[in-house]
């Protein structure tokens, strides 16, 4: 596979992001470009030829992509999701990576659909939502019920793209280009060894798979919002220096409320982002040393992610508020960025319930949210 630089890929993305928005998904040829950057081997086990990155290093890559286009950053963020697949039997993983370590995985896990057990696996039939990145995926997952052996946690059943129908229903105000379409499966038997518990015990003993799995999944989504907020701040600074309203009032940068609002937004994003990365580095050092991340560290990861997603959305909304009449037009750049920044904040991994669950853990109580760890 030929090498490309991040700068080359981002330059191409800048010219194609409108295309992705219009067709509502990132196409396979651009997924291949992301593969060339190593995005889809960043959570593949080293024993299968991968280059598993420390979470903070991967998160910085996603942040850079998201600053150019949030939808593509969102799709690229699922390059982290092979950490889930480390819970598969080792023989299954060997087969999965037999064609190479660059595997794009997408899943529509909810609503969990009944899957009667067979002698060798599960009979899968149903429809699932929010399969972000499914149009360029090499392997797809759908949610099926767990049982006593999973502790009640649902399983994910893996299928090849040819076994799945993709229904392109995705009409949203933010992250329009993520291709978060529905998956439909009709009466397919999936072997038990091609199912796993999301967040289940990994079969691979490498540091990345000791990092809290669900917390990492929340982090990769939160950092997309931060990249979008950075794009909004960059736009506001550039436009503020030259924009004069139709009334002939001073340009935005000459107005005290604009300068103050911009500065407050810059400070808020940088502060939330710094805490987010600080916690990630701390937990990584813990697992690299051979220790398990503590419940409090997991809570800090979850809380800093939810806080970053919320702050990022608030930053973009603040910039819209102080930018005069220009953002009332549907084609204004801040309007699209506002929709994109809203999506991470609304995700179940990053919503208000996470603050309650994290607060409970930090006060020595059990988490109040299921699947918190």
């Amino acid at each position: 596979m030929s090498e490309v630089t991040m700068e080359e890929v981002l330059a191409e993305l800048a010219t194609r992001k409108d295309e992705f928005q219009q067709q509502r998904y990132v196409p396979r040829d651009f997924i291949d470009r992301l593969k060339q950057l190593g995005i889809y081997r960043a959570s593949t086990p080293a024993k299968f030829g991968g280059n598993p990155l420390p979470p903070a290093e991967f998160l910085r890559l996603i942040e850079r992509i998201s600053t150019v286009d949030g939808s593509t950053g969102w799709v690229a963020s699922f390059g982290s999701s092979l950490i889930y697949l480390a819970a598969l039997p080792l023989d299954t993983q060997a087969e999965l990576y037999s064609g190479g370590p660059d595997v794009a995985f997408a899943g529509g896990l909810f609503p969990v659909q009944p899957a009667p057990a067979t002698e060798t696996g599960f009979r899968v039939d149903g429809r699932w939502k929010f399969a972000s990145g499914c149009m360029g995926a090499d392997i797809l997952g759908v949610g099926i019920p767990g049982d006593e052996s999973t502790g009640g946690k649902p399983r994910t059943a893996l299928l090849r793209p040819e076994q799945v129908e993709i229904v392109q229903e995705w009409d949203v105000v933010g992250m329009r280009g993520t291709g978060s379409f529905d998956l439909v499966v009709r009466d397919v038997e999936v072997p038990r060894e091609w199912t796993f518990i999301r967040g289940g015990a990994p079969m691979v003993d490498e540091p990345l798979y000791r990092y809290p799995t669900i917390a990492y999944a929340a982090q990769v989504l939160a950092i997309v919002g931060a990249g979008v907020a950075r794009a909004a701040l960059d736009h506001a600074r550039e436009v503020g220096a030259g924009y004069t309203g139709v009334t002939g009032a001073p340009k935005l940068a000459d107005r005290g409320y604009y300068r103050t609002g911009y500065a407050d937004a810059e400070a808020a994003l940088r502060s939330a982002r710094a805490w987010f990365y600080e916690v990630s580095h701390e937990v990584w050092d813990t697992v690299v040393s051979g220790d398990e991340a503590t419940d409090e560290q997991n809570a800090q990861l979850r809380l800093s992610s939810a806080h970053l997603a919320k702050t990022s959305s608030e930053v973009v909304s603040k910039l819209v508020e102080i930018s005069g009449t220009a953002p009332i037009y549907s084609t204004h750049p801040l309007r699209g960025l506002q929709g994109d920044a809203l999506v991470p904040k609304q995700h179940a991994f990053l919503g208000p319930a996470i603050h309650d669950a994290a607060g409970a853990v930090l006060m020595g109580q059990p988490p109040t949210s299921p699947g918190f760890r």
Side-chain angles (χ1 to χ4, degrees), residues 11-21 23 27 29-30 33 69:
E12 180 180 345
L13 177 58
T15 67
R16 297 187 64 186
K17 61 182 181 179
D18 289 343
E19 168 198 337
F20 301 167
Q21 293 288 311
Q23 69 187 15
D29 73 286
F30 200 81
R33 297 288 274 173
D69 179 47

Side-chain angles (χ1 to χ4, degrees), residues 48 89-100 103 160 193-194:
F48 296 117
L90 288 177
D91 287 347
T92 303
Q93 293 186 56
E95 184 176 346
L96 178 68
Y97 299 118
S98 61
V103 174
R160 299 292 179 183
E193 62 269 22
W194 283 88

Side-chain angles (χ1 to χ4, degrees), residues 233 236 243 252 255-265 315-325 327 334:
L233 283 162
Y243 175 78
L252 290 172
R255 306 178 196 183
Y257 71 83
Y258 189 84
R259 296 192 299 266
T260 300
Y262 176 87
D264 287 347
V315 160
V316 184
S317 293
K318 179 64 175 180
L319 295 174
V320 170
E321 178 186 326
I322 64 175
S323 293
T325 57
L334 284 179

Side-chain angles (χ1 to χ4, degrees), residues 328-351:
I328 70 173
Y329 292 95
S330 60
T331 56
H332 192 277
L334 284 179
R335 185 60 66 196
L337 293 170
Q338 187 178 33
D340 284 351
L342 175 67
V343 175
K345 185 186 74 166
Q346 301 299 111
H347 195 280
F349 280 178
L350 299 165

